[in-house]
Amino acid sequence: LLATENLNVEHRKVSTAFFDVGARTLVLPIWQEMSNDLYDMLVGHEVGHALFTPENEWRKAIDKGIQHSFLNVIEDARIERKIKDKYPGGRRAFVDGYLDLIRKDFFGLNGLDPNELNLIDRINLHFKGGSIHGIEFSEEESEFVEKVKGTRTWEDVVRVADELYEYAKDHD
């Protein structure tokens, strides 16, 4: 219903939720403990991909050599912003769902200083956890955070992913 199309929805023993843009299948993990907010956040995130991630353009970007992980982090930030704008009642589930994942150490940060991670990982955590991680960015890095925040179109995502990857090759 949220995706405004007939998606296949499957619950599987997988490590995280995902959306297969080609098969139009939303896969949700079967976890022993999952709060309603976490479930709603996972659904909202993946429905964001269903609504806003263009399958053919995704494949073209990968074929062109744009790094998958960079595309994914930047597209995640964009689609989450867009899904929260489309369904503002789900905003709280994103906050509480990510807090739940952080408490469960889903991102594998226990014992690590997140400021020692590479830039793309810090940007990912910043957009998923906000200020809770205490992540710091240099002035130059903050420009990339703003670029990610400013993505509106798929073309923006590809451009920023390419720029960020080129920067990271020399700095991470």
Side-chain angles (χ1 to χ4, degrees), residues 5 19-25 49-50 53-56 58-59:
E5 69 174 282
F19 183 70
D20 182 328
V21 291
R24 309 308 289 168
T25 300
H49 283 299
T53 302
E55 175 192 6
N56 292 336
W58 178 272
R59 294 186 198 292

Side-chain angles (χ1 to χ4, degrees), residues 13-92:
K13 289 192 176 196
V14 291
S15 61
T16 191
F18 65 90
F19 183 70
D20 182 328
V21 291
R24 309 308 289 168
T25 300
L26 189 160
V27 177
L28 295 160
I30 300 170
W31 291 337
Q32 278 188 329
E33 295 179 28
M34 187 181 318
S35 67
N36 289 338
D37 286 325
L38 178 53
Y39 187 86
D40 289 348
M41 183 272 294
L42 292 172
V43 168
H45 177 94
E46 300 309 332
V47 165
H49 283 299
L51 289 169
F52 306 116
T53 302
E55 175 192 6
N56 292 336
E57 300 308 313
W58 178 272
R59 294 186 198 292
K60 285 180 193 174
I62 298 295
D63 290 345
K64 199 169 104 176
I66 306 293
Q67 292 297 307
H68 178 275
S69 59
F70 283 67
L71 271 178
N72 194 56
V73 166
I74 297 164
E75 178 65 346
D76 279 356
R78 182 182 82 98
I79 60 104
E80 285 191 0
R81 188 174 52 256
K82 289 177 76 80
I83 198 76
K84 288 185 262 186
D85 287 347
K86 185 170 181 69
Y87 299 113
R91 289 177 183 271
R92 186 82 228 164

